Amino acid sequence: PMQEYSCPQCGSTIGGKDHILNPSNRVARTNDATQTGYCLGGPGQREALPTPERTLSPAACAILRALMHCSLIWASCNNETATEGLLDLIYSQVRPREMSKFFWQHLEHDINILSCATGKSKDEACLLLHLVLRDVVMKNPVQSSGMDTCSTLLTKEAREKWEKCFNDAYIQPTLKQLDKSLTEATQLLLNDKKEDRDRLFYLVYERVTVSPNTILPHLWSYRSRITLEHLSQTLKTSKHPILNEFLKQEPILRATQYIPGIVQLQQQLHDLYHRRLDKTEAAQITVGDFVRGLKIEHKKKLFLKKMNCVKTAWTLVKDKLPEYARVRVPPEYLQKVTWDDSLPLSYLIPTLTGPGVCTVALVDLLVGAHNDFMEKCHSELKKKQKTE
């Protein structure tokens, strides 16, 4: 280094002079710091909405996790030695006898997420998992996909490469022709089932004539839902760049609707406590304490509504904060913040250091995503005007 600067957040010296690093600096850690073991926590701690992970779409992420939990259920039910090893990998408090139930609840959550992400029923989500497993057994293009070079999975890069190879080889081909594959699989089921034993199944898929005298026969009919994920799978084209960009950024753009509520909450707490509370005092007051201190019911409801804006937006985009936000959020805040009554008020008071950085980074990410998308729209519209 040849120059020194001060960090805008903490004021620390960065860099050095005459190719000599400042003593207060140290070489950045470049080895894999990914937490080992099972890191998803309990089923109730999982995300409630479909979210993408790395290069995986929400549907692909749900499929991979469902297959993982299927393997863990099998191991916990059939191998006592494996069960003891699994206990060492799980950070949640789980009794050995409840381990299979623990993973089963996770699998149910995966199927719910997959159903929501694809716009299909839970039955069809299970059928989709079977289709992926069928391709794994029937195709098994290990060497051609590149997965044979990732057998150890000891590094983060190797795991991400294997994940991408598996997604490209087995998941994406099934998702690209999802409706066709599900229709063919359902037809096989219809041909295999017996009408006298499975009449409800035939009624749902309208393979049995329903008497006109039957009360509301259409209530038994089944129609697939149309969702953003379903649309994005259908619209694999570059002819609609704005729509494609919207679908790509949809989880973050969906959270932008909560910007006004979050900013209003920040402003309210900043006006109340700026230069009146130090960090120690703010950390001792919880959200529950603050709400109980509001004597007017209308103000309580308004505050809780704003809190819900923070919680919902955080759930949608927290995994994107390390990647997109210009304001750095320490990993420990990303993992432990819950946004409930026990949360210290210091997390809501906007600051560039400490717990208050959470809402600052959240707003920065959402505003940036909104502005980038609007710029994209403006740019594409200008291109269109020039060609007309």
Side-chain angles (χ1 to χ4, degrees), residues 74-127:
W74 179 84
S76 63
C77 291
N78 294 280
N79 192 325
E80 186 175 343
T81 304
T83 300
E84 295 176 359
L86 288 173
L87 282 173
D88 297 331
L89 297 176
I90 302 175
Y91 297 106
S92 304
Q93 295 296 323
V94 182
R95 297 176 181 176
R97 293 182 179 180
E98 297 178 348
M99 186 169 296
S100 58
K101 179 182 178 182
F102 174 80
F103 289 129
W104 181 265
Q105 290 173 339
H106 272 287
L107 177 59
E108 289 181 324
H109 184 82
D110 294 329
I111 292 172
N112 288 337
I113 292 293
L114 182 57
S115 171
C116 182
T118 57
K120 304 297 181 182
S121 68
K122 294 179 184 178
D123 286 343
E124 288 175 320
C126 293
L127 195 55

Side-chain angles (χ1 to χ4, degrees), residues 141-211:
V142 175
Q143 293 184 351
S144 61
S145 66
M147 280 186 284
D148 56 326
T149 62
C150 311
S151 56
T152 58
L153 304 181
L154 293 178
T155 65
K156 184 177 181 180
E157 291 74 18
R159 291 191 293 272
E160 290 183 355
K161 182 180 178 182
W162 180 92
E163 183 182 78
K164 183 179 184 303
C165 290
F166 189 92
N167 180 42
D168 294 341
Y170 302 116
I171 297 178
Q172 287 308 313
T174 304
L175 291 178
K176 286 179 180 178
Q177 49 181 359
L178 179 58
D179 291 329
K180 180 183 177 182
S181 299
L182 287 177
T183 300
E184 291 174 353
T186 302
Q187 185 61 48
L188 290 174
L189 286 172
L190 287 167
N191 295 337
D192 184 59
K193 288 178 176 289
K194 302 298 182 182
E195 183 179 331
D196 55 341
R197 292 184 312 181
D198 303 286
R199 184 170 177 80
L200 179 59
F201 186 83
Y202 277 77
L203 283 171
V204 168
Y205 286 95
E206 301 178 61
R207 299 305 174 94
V208 177
T209 302
V210 180
S211 171

